[in-house]
Amino acid sequence: MTAPITPIALPSTADEIGPRLPGAIYANQDGRFEVLALITAPTEAARLLRRTSARWAVIVRDTLRADGQPFVVGSVWTTEDYLIRSGRTTYAPAA
């Protein structure tokens, strides 16, 4: 007899995004980033990330670089990321 299959709960979109609301500043080993926009429209997120599908995307700017230009990321929030400054407390989709 085989063991029953236990369903695994996938992380929610909010869990993947973490505290990266517009205005937030966070850091990790790659730099320190200000969140300029949070895109939660899947079609727009996929287009910006140049993927066939995506649930969300974040537009950030590296604040440690004087020439830091905005760019799009789709990496999930991990224990390697840490919040320096909170963003807006209300959530409003950017696209």
Side-chain angles (χ1 to χ4, degrees), residues 17 37-42 44-46 48 55-59 72 91 93-95:
I17 295 168
L38 170 60
I39 312 302
T40 56
E44 181 66 8
L48 289 169
R55 297 196 299 178
W56 55 270
V58 180
I59 300 174
V72 181
Y91 172 75

Side-chain angles (χ1 to χ4, degrees), residues 22-93:
I25 295 179
Y26 71 99
N28 58 33
Q29 66 183 7
D30 297 323
R32 185 175 63 207
F33 306 98
E34 177 183 14
V35 178
L36 303 176
L38 170 60
I39 312 302
T40 56
T43 304
E44 181 66 8
R47 185 185 69 75
L48 289 169
L49 291 166
R50 297 183 180 143
R51 297 180 184 168
T52 56
S53 67
R55 297 196 299 178
W56 55 270
V58 180
I59 300 174
V60 300
R61 178 181 66 85
D62 190 340
T63 63
L64 296 178
R65 298 180 58 123
D67 64 341
Q69 297 296 313
F71 62 97
V72 181
V73 297
S75 55
V76 299
W77 185 263
T78 70
T79 57
E80 300 297 317
D81 300 307
Y82 59 96
L83 188 63
I84 295 172
R85 181 183 78 193
S86 295
R88 293 185 209 130
T89 56
T90 58
Y91 172 75

